[in-house]
Amino acid sequence: MNVIEVKNMSKNFKNKKLFNSFSLEIEENTVHAIVGPNGSGKTSLLRILTNLYYEDNGKVIVKGNHAMLLENDYLYEDKTGIENIKLYGLYFGYEPVNYKKYSELLQITNDLDRKVSTYSKGMKRKLSLLIIVMMNREIIFLDEVTSGVDPISRVEIRKLIKLLKDEGKTIVITSHDLSEIEKIADKVSMIKSGELLFTKNIGEIKGESLEDLFIEEGTK
């Protein structure tokens, strides 16, 4: 079953057309990656899917509640990690009682009593992800979730995404890290200048690297 359906969607930004008759389907309980060069519309698409932007024409159907992790981290630097979890819990309406299940997987449990201002880029990213997960939404949008984090943190984030899928979530992820996508995604959609170039199962491109596909499609 599709939990996200975009049908003939058009969207202009400052009189510039980004999407024109754009269509996309995302299946329930999958990890679906959206890749493309800078300016292709990946982040704008996520913002449309989460109602931060509205389409000009066409239909956008999202069947289920959702949460979105933006590329930048929005944390209270002068608060500790656990204080951030509790503050966002008050805002988003979740009880921070089972966070250790996920913080242990992300290897940040022992750092939650420290102020966020002392965190590395990777630790901030993992704390932001933990807060999103605590919201317990059916669909999770992750914008460049592994951008700027170290290799060990990438492995930990991949493990968490796999757990979320096992728990029945649908995860939509954008990334410039094509090798990372190959390790974690079930399906990949490539977009360029607001146009869908293809959607493929990871199994369909075995033997081909996404990087080669990226270069090939990007030069057409």
Side-chain angles (χ1 to χ4, degrees):
M1 182 183 78
N2 294 328
V3 294
I4 296 173
E5 295 180 355
V6 181
K7 300 179 180 179
N8 301 316
M9 184 265 290
S10 298
K11 178 65 179 178
N12 295 339
F13 290 94
K14 297 179 180 178
N15 298 320
K16 178 183 177 183
K17 183 164 286 186
L18 178 57
F19 296 104
N20 184 27
S21 297
F22 180 90
S23 297
L24 177 69
E25 294 179 344
I26 294 178
E27 294 179 12
E28 182 180 25
N29 195 205
T30 59
V31 179
H32 194 120
I34 298 171
V35 301
N38 287 332
S40 61
K42 300 187 301 296
T43 297
S44 295
L45 177 59
L46 292 195
R47 290 174 180 267
I48 291 170
L49 295 177
T50 54
N51 292 327
L52 292 175
Y53 298 158
Y54 290 98
E55 68 276 12
D56 296 328
N57 294 292
K59 285 187 177 181
V60 176
I61 303 168
V62 179
K63 305 172 185 176
N65 53 40
H66 60 263
M68 179 175 175
L69 177 62
L70 298 171
E71 184 175 0
N72 296 318
D73 299 301
Y74 297 94
L75 300 166
Y76 295 97
E77 296 270 339
D78 61 333
K79 304 293 185 184
T80 66
I82 191 64
E83 286 173 333
N84 270 267
I85 292 172
K86 291 177 179 177
L87 282 168
Y88 278 104
L90 292 173
Y91 185 79
F92 289 114
Y94 65 76
E95 292 290 337
V97 292
N98 62 341
Y99 68 89
K100 285 189 178 179
K101 173 183 178 182
Y102 305 106
S103 65
E104 292 286 351
L105 197 60
L106 292 170
Q107 295 292 305
I108 60 170
T109 303
N110 294 335
D111 300 296
L112 292 179
D113 290 329
R114 289 169 43 203
K115 286 190 176 181
V116 170
S117 59
T118 68
Y119 282 18
S120 66
K121 163 76 173 176
M123 290 171 61
K124 289 178 181 177
R125 190 96 281 232
K126 289 191 286 186
L127 177 60
S128 297
L129 179 55
L130 175 58
I131 289 169
I132 292 296
V133 170
M134 290 298 297
M135 294 168 64
N136 193 29
R137 302 295 171 83
E138 296 164 345
I139 305 169
I140 300 174
F141 296 97
L142 303 176
D143 192 14
E144 300 288 348
V145 66
T146 58
S147 176
V149 305
D150 60 87
I152 294 176
S153 293
R154 291 183 184 190
V155 173
E156 293 161 353
I157 290 172
R158 284 204 306 268
K159 288 179 179 177
L160 178 58
I161 291 174
K162 182 181 183 303
L163 175 61
L164 293 172
K165 182 189 171 185
D166 290 344
E167 292 178 345
K169 312 292 187 187
T170 302
I171 299 96
V172 182
I173 181 172
T174 68
S175 180
H176 288 97
D177 190 338
L178 301 178
S179 63
E180 195 73 15
I181 291 302
E182 289 175 314
K183 295 170 186 172
I184 198 168
D186 300 308
K187 289 196 170 188
V188 180
S189 293
M190 183 174 288
I191 63 176
K192 177 187 176 185
S193 302
E195 178 185 353
L196 179 66
L197 301 181
F198 66 74
T199 295
K200 296 186 178 184
N201 294 319
I202 283 291
E204 291 180 62
I205 56 175
K206 290 296 184 185
E208 299 181 80
S209 74
L210 277 176
E211 186 171 8
D212 290 339
L213 289 168
F214 192 90
I215 294 171
E216 177 186 340
E217 295 288 347
T219 55
K220 288 182 179 179

